Amino acid sequence: MKADPSIFRGYDIRGVYPNEINGDTVYAAGKAYATLLSRENPGKRLSVAVGRDTRVSSPELHTRLIEGLLECGVDVDDLGLVSTPTLYFGVGFFGYDGGLQVSASHNPKEWNGVKMTRKNAESLSKETGIAEIATIIEKEGFMISPARGTLKKREGILAACVEEAVRTVSPSRIKPFKVVADAANAMGALDLAALFSRLGCDFIPMNFELDGTFPAHGIDPSKEENIKYLQEKVKSENADLGIAPDGDGDRIFFVDEKGSVVPSEALAAILAEIELEAHPGGAIVSDAGPSRIVEEVAERFGGRRVRSRVGSSYMKEAIIREGAVFGGEAAGHYYYSFPCGIFEAPMLLVLKLLARLSEKNISLSEAVNPFLKYAHSKEASVRVNSKEEVSSKIETVKKIYADGKQDFLDGVSVEYPDYWFTVRGSNTEPLLRFTLEATSKEIMTREAERLRGVLTHSTGSASILSEVEGLTN
């Protein structure tokens, strides 16, 4: 069948419903996924878990996806409404051969998609399965099964996930904080409600009613217009902190008691320190963007920072390869290693952070302050006219900054003594994304503007976007 090639992205299948992605597309994707897994596991009766988010289009896509799997002889456990991390946990903890989540993460309500894993919650990327699934769909090379798969409902995955988290970090270690959480009517509401029911905190939920039209505000908390409501509520309630998960619950952001958003690089450094205290000498994986404070934390404990390309599949591969104890991305993904796999575990993260604040008897802002050593620009984007122009601009950066130390792990990273930056192309759109870090705010502002000028020069309709557009991971 003919499917819009743009939906097959770096880390998932995703597009606007129903023009780019619809029931027929997802039905074919289910059959193609089953075909891929069957090729990799010849002769095995496969069992997969399938979940969905609360978008208006998700029930239809969820049903059609399952139908495609069943027709190819795959046994399906329907988890129903779950966050993406809960699905990942279920795949690993209960030993499924794979898992699929119907969701478009933090994208607006008009979007939908499918995230896919193999066993142990190993994410499929374009290089490790998604491109092959696209080819199977195009050629209609679906496996033919002599027997239809079985379908059953599976309850209790979230409860098991919470139980595992509180087994790792006992609620008795956590003070009775006042905590505000804004779930934006999306999937993080389920996880946070279940978690805080086990804690002795004064918990104030905002927008916890699941609603796929997302009436309160957008579901990407990395954007100021979406997290500002949480900031205001934290201050008005005199709360100790605020929590904001994204649309499918796999990214998480925090607001301190003063109403300030905790920078992702500072949060990653705190979490890395917690893990390295328990595992001195260990490796920490972070994305290729500038994050010197994480590197310094790793070195302080005799460990090392390992840089990875942006994206969950690349991060997980690096964590496995390096035997790392933790991974963090600037986009708000934080990865933990379990015996059953490597995946985002926001509930465990919350427990570890609250336990840290409790044991040190400090506020969140006091915990963050030591890690604000460097001035860090927010990730910004420049829109250009084509993917070819993205490549051309990166080549221009290489030439203009040729006197700096360069590497090309993910786009181009350039380092000077008092500032360093990364420029990379979007995996899905003709966009250049850039981040810059420096030893002072003045240097950061000056050099970010200079880099902005390099990227926007002679691009015609190029424009700087104050917020990151359409992150795919």
Side-chain angles (χ1 to χ4, degrees):
M1 67 170 287
K2 202 71 178 171
D4 186 331
S6 71
I7 69 173
F8 300 101
R9 300 178 172 237
Y11 326 111
D12 60 8
I13 297 173
R14 197 183 307 190
V16 176
Y17 174 90
N19 296 332
E20 296 173 347
I21 192 167
N22 53 45
D24 291 341
T25 312
V26 169
Y27 167 72
K31 294 176 70 175
Y33 170 85
T35 302
L36 176 67
L37 252 61
S38 295
R39 289 175 181 174
E40 296 172 349
N41 301 273
K44 183 176 183 181
R45 179 86 179 196
L46 297 171
S47 174
V48 304
V50 180
R52 68 172 178 90
D53 71 12
T54 190
R55 293 168 193 269
V56 174
S57 59
S58 288
E60 177 200 347
L61 300 188
H62 178 253
T63 299
R64 296 298 305 281
L65 179 67
I66 289 174
E67 182 60 26
L69 295 166
L70 295 174
E71 282 195 15
C72 290
V74 174
D75 295 331
V76 175
D77 275 13
D78 179 5
L79 309 190
L81 282 164
V82 291
S83 72
T84 295
T86 300
L87 174 92
Y88 290 163
F89 170 83
V91 170
F93 194 78
F94 293 102
Y96 291 102
D97 296 303
L100 303 102
Q101 174 79 346
V102 175
S103 177
S105 188
H106 60 274
N107 282 103
K109 61 186 178 182
E110 298 83 10
W111 289 68
N112 217 323
V114 184
K115 294 185 175 185
M116 298 168 283
T117 80
R118 293 181 173 88
K119 64 180 181 179
N120 299 325
E122 176 193 334
S123 296
L124 272 67
S125 68
K126 198 156 193 175
E127 295 88 345
T128 63
I130 292 175
E132 187 173 351
I133 283 173
T135 299
I136 293 170
I137 292 173
E138 182 181 8
K139 296 181 178 180
E140 298 190 8
F142 308 118
M143 69 172 290
I144 299 173
S145 173
R148 183 179 173 86
T150 61
L151 173 64
K152 67 176 185 290
K153 297 282 187 181
R154 179 67 184 262
E155 307 287 346
I157 300 290
L158 176 56
C161 190
V162 173
E163 199 60 45
E164 184 67 11
V166 299
R167 184 193 64 79
T168 304
V169 179
S170 171
S172 64
R173 294 171 55 188
I174 295 170
K175 290 168 54 178
F177 293 106
K178 179 183 277 193
V179 178
V180 181
D182 184 354
N185 305 108
M187 300 311 299
L190 298 180
D191 293 2
L192 291 175
L195 176 65
F196 276 92
S197 71
R198 302 290 296 272
L199 305 182
C201 293
D202 181 1
F203 184 59
I204 304 170
M206 294 175 63
N207 306 311
F208 266 49
E209 303 79 16
L210 296 184
D211 186 335
T213 67
F214 310 125
H217 53 72
I219 55 175
D220 183 354
S222 70
K223 293 187 174 183
E224 291 177 2
E225 66 264 28
N226 296 329
I227 204 167
K228 67 180 182 180
Y229 305 99
L230 177 62
Q231 293 176 282
E232 294 165 359
K233 189 71 169 176
V234 166
K235 289 188 288 186
S236 68
E237 292 284 349
N238 292 315
D240 295 298
L241 68 146
I243 305 173
D246 79 338
D248 67 334
D250 63 355
R251 297 162 67 212
I252 191 164
F253 297 82
F254 290 85
V255 170
D256 70 20
E257 77 283 0
K258 299 176 182 179
S260 299
V261 177
V262 176
S264 58
E265 66 274 11
L267 179 60
I270 293 170
L271 299 171
E273 185 177 74
I274 292 171
E275 297 309 310
L276 288 168
E277 285 180 357
H279 308 281
I284 299 295
V285 174
S286 63
D287 62 63
S291 187
R292 184 164 290 184
I293 194 65
V294 173
E295 186 173 328
E296 291 179 356
V297 167
E299 291 173 351
R300 180 153 49 89
F301 288 90
R304 57 200 168 88
R305 174 202 178 195
V306 177
R307 296 165 65 244
S308 165
R309 290 178 64 185
V310 169
S312 61
S313 55
Y314 303 121
M315 290 288 294
K316 291 178 182 181
E317 288 167 10
I319 291 169
I320 293 170
R321 183 179 66 249
E322 303 293 335
V325 297
F326 175 74
E329 283 186 289
H333 293 266
Y334 304 96
Y335 303 88
Y336 288 93
S337 182
F338 301 90
C340 61
I342 294 164
F343 42 86
E344 299 95 328
M347 287 191 284
L348 180 61
L349 185 159
V350 168
L351 288 173
K352 284 177 177 275
L353 182 61
L354 293 181
R356 183 69 158 196
L357 301 181
S358 299
E359 289 157 8
K360 288 187 171 289
N361 196 28
I362 56 175
S363 66
L364 182 53
S365 67
E366 288 172 326
V368 169
N369 280 339
F371 302 100
L372 301 180
K373 183 177 177 181
Y374 301 107
H376 193 96
S377 74
K378 292 187 67 174
E379 185 174 51
S381 300
V382 176
R383 183 174 295 281
V384 293
N385 298 311
S386 65
K387 286 283 190 178
E388 290 72 27
E389 194 171 359
V390 168
S391 300
S392 174
K393 283 293 176 183
I394 289 177
E395 289 303 315
T396 299
V397 170
K398 292 178 183 178
K399 293 174 183 176
I400 291 177
Y401 294 91
D403 58 337
K405 180 182 177 183
Q406 298 187 0
D407 77 62
F408 314 111
L409 173 65
D410 198 356
V412 57
S413 296
V414 183
E415 182 178 345
Y416 292 96
D418 53 0
Y419 72 97
W420 44 96
F421 65 84
T422 295
V423 179
R424 66 181 180 90
S426 165
N427 285 291
T428 59
E429 301 177 79
L431 291 176
L432 289 152
R433 305 199 191 279
F434 71 93
T435 5
L436 187 144
E437 195 171 69
T439 54
S440 72
K441 185 176 181 180
E442 293 72 24
I443 295 172
M444 184 272 289
T445 302
R446 182 190 73 217
E447 295 301 333
E449 285 303 313
R450 179 189 174 207
L451 179 59
R452 189 189 305 264
V454 169
L455 296 177
T456 56
H457 181 66
S458 300
T459 58
S461 62
S463 62
I464 292 291
L465 309 178
S466 61
E467 299 292 340
V468 180
E469 289 189 353
L471 288 171
T472 59
N473 52 317

